[in-house]
Amino acid sequence: MKKVIALLLALVLILAMTACGGETAPEAKDPASDPANPPADADVIKIGYVSDLTGPTALWGTAGQYGAEAAVKDINANGGVLDGKMLQLVPMDGKGEAADSVSAFKKLVEEHKVVASVGTNFSSCNIPMASVADELKVPVLGTATSNEQVTVDENGNLHPYSFRMCFIDSYLGTVIGNYAADNLKFTKAALFTVAGNANSESVGSFIKDAFEAKGGKIVADEQCQEGDVDFRAQLTNMKAKEPEVIFVIMNDYAKTATFAKQAREMGIECLLMGHDGWDSAQLAGEANGALEGCLYVSRIGFNSPDAKAFGERISKEYNIGMEAECLFGYDGVMWVADAINRAGSADPTAVRDALEATEVFEGLIGTLVMDPATHNPSMACALYECSGDSFTFKEIVEAQ
């Protein structure tokens, strides 16, 4: 009888295994088998990414995250760093706000033990992050953060752990002001900036200085508050001065589109001209024709074969438009990986030292020539013109 019962139990066990597919436990995976996401318990080197992953400008932040993820995937698929160590990206939402970005960076360092962090794309966020990076001794690489105080304090003292991957406000503002005066031959301009926004006010001031140094005159200097969406009062004042061009220096493509539409509705037909805050694939479409023929100056972006191919890869893989921030995300991780390999260590201070020792970094965003005294790169920029529902590359421009 006992034998019968034992046989029955064995049969039940066999049937149960068959019902479950008869599978044995899966073998442990090699960390490199999934290059984009190595196991959390694997021996990995963590790199942080902070940006606006939610909110009105999340289009940029998420594009940067996708670019950073692609870099981690490519590096891991090619053997990682330091003879086989895998990288792991830890993204965190800074919401495009200074306090949230600082909190996100602290969490990445203190809880996730990242060796460096890429982002954000806003000067107003990276300026307060710089002193925190110095305190925690972990490098942070701003992407489109062009304000001078991202890497130096108000007295010009270097933030040793803060770096950037773009030209600075003085260079960009000078290019825009000079181009309007020298190339477009304008003599009367209006300036529109966002009060309290570090990038907007800084670039605007350099545009004004450059334009007036060339003999032009800023006939109207207007501002809005960060949350404003109705610009008719300022537009009324500018219209009365009859400018030939309005410099519109805002970092929200939806608001820039609204500004342009309101200007055209009020009969203002002059050229509108902007900076890298206009750098969005959605801006022209949002403006619904109001920006036709208008110009902005920004990075070279997708106007190299490698950058264009990468943008198309991210666009296809994530089903998004081609946003230049994906290039920064990719290059930021690549630069950190390069620094780790040159340092022969993933110690954050050793990584910082290698970043500062970079002479030239060749990336998708172009050639960065680094100044170790300021952590500022020099690089070419480009002029874009609105045609239909998109902006197209027009020419390379430099300060004169």
Side-chain angles (χ1 to χ4, degrees):
M1 183 66 179
K2 289 181 179 179
K3 288 183 178 180
V4 172
I5 293 173
L7 288 170
L8 288 171
L9 288 173
L11 180 61
V12 169
L13 181 59
I14 291 169
L15 290 171
M17 290 180 65
T18 303
C20 293
E23 296 178 353
T24 57
E27 294 182 4
K29 291 184 176 180
D30 185 321
S33 64
D34 184 2
N37 296 290
D41 58 351
D43 184 14
V44 297
I45 296 170
K46 295 181 180 179
I47 297 175
Y49 177 79
V50 180
S51 198
D52 43 335
L53 305 183
T54 59
T57 56
L59 184 72
W60 294 328
T62 52
Q65 179 186 340
Y66 298 153
E69 288 176 355
V72 168
K73 182 176 180 179
D74 289 352
I75 292 166
N76 288 349
N78 285 283
V81 296
L82 300 179
D83 297 323
K85 285 187 177 291
M86 298 292 102
L87 296 182
Q88 184 177 45
L89 187 75
V90 185
M92 199 155 287
D93 188 10
K95 303 177 183 177
E97 299 292 338
D100 291 294
S101 297
V102 168
S103 295
F105 177 64
K106 284 183 175 179
K107 188 172 183 178
L108 285 170
V109 174
E110 295 170 350
E111 297 183 21
H112 296 279
K113 309 301 181 185
V114 301
V115 303
S117 185
V118 178
T120 71
N121 50 328
F122 291 117
S123 295
S124 56
C125 296
N126 276 68
I127 289 172
M129 288 171 70
S131 57
V132 177
D134 293 343
E135 177 186 345
L136 298 178
K137 298 189 183 307
V138 173
V140 59
L141 285 69
T143 58
T145 50
S146 54
N147 187 279
E148 278 78 352
Q149 291 186 30
V150 166
T151 59
V152 299
D153 65 19
E154 62 274 11
N155 297 314
N157 299 310
L158 180 69
H159 284 296
Y161 282 82
S162 185
F163 298 81
R164 81 171 89 237
M165 302 173 64
C166 67
F167 39 62
I168 57 177
D169 288 349
S170 58
Y171 179 78
L172 182 59
T174 300
V175 168
I176 295 170
N178 284 352
Y179 192 89
D182 292 337
N183 297 68
L184 302 178
K185 307 301 181 184
F186 291 142
T187 59
K188 293 173 60 179
L191 177 63
F192 186 78
T193 55
V194 180
N197 183 286
N199 173 263
S200 177
E201 291 190 327
S202 179
V203 174
S205 69
F206 286 110
I207 291 173
K208 181 178 180 179
D209 290 346
F211 187 71
E212 292 186 336
K214 295 285 187 176
K217 184 177 181 181
I218 300 295
V219 295
D221 191 344
E222 297 288 331
Q223 288 193 308
C224 69
Q225 299 301 311
E226 197 73 58
D228 290 352
V229 292
D230 188 339
F231 312 113
R232 292 178 179 87
Q234 296 94 330
L235 284 165
T236 297
N237 295 336
M238 288 186 278
K239 182 179 181 180
K241 301 295 184 179
E242 299 182 344
E244 298 164 290
V245 59
I246 301 176
F247 300 114
V248 185
I249 311 303
M250 290 196 286
N251 290 303
D252 185 324
Y253 65 87
K255 289 182 180 178
T256 299
T258 298
F259 180 96
K261 287 186 283 190
Q262 290 177 359
R264 302 317 186 206
E265 289 167 2
M266 294 175 62
I268 299 173
E269 299 299 332
C270 69
L271 181 78
L272 306 183
M273 193 171 182
H275 71 328
D276 56 351
W278 286 31
D279 202 353
S280 169
Q282 295 194 22
L283 175 56
E286 288 262 356
N288 196 27
L291 286 169
E292 187 69 23
C294 293
L295 307 170
Y296 75 87
V297 177
S298 184
R299 298 162 289 278
I300 294 175
F302 297 112
N303 294 290
S304 75
D306 288 345
K308 182 180 179 183
F310 180 75
E312 291 170 347
R313 167 187 166 185
I314 295 299
S315 180
K316 181 179 179 181
E317 193 170 327
Y318 292 94
N319 193 30
I320 63 169
M322 287 176 58
E323 294 292 337
E325 191 66 21
C326 73
L327 305 177
F328 278 110
Y330 189 88
D331 282 353
V333 171
M334 285 294 184
W335 190 16
V336 172
D338 173 67
I340 291 171
N341 282 327
R342 283 188 287 114
S345 169
D347 173 75
T349 296
V351 174
R352 185 221 79 87
D353 292 346
L355 289 169
E356 187 175 86
T358 304
E359 293 182 1
V360 176
F361 175 77
E362 296 283 356
L364 295 175
I365 56 175
T367 300
L368 304 185
V369 181
M370 295 300 300
D371 182 351
T374 62
H375 291 183
N376 294 331
S378 60
M379 59 190 296
C381 51
L383 184 76
Y384 297 87
E385 182 175 20
C386 184
S387 177
D389 60 357
S390 65
F391 278 88
T392 57
F393 171 77
K394 189 173 183 182
E395 61 182 299
I396 300 291
V397 292
E398 296 183 13
Q400 299 176 18

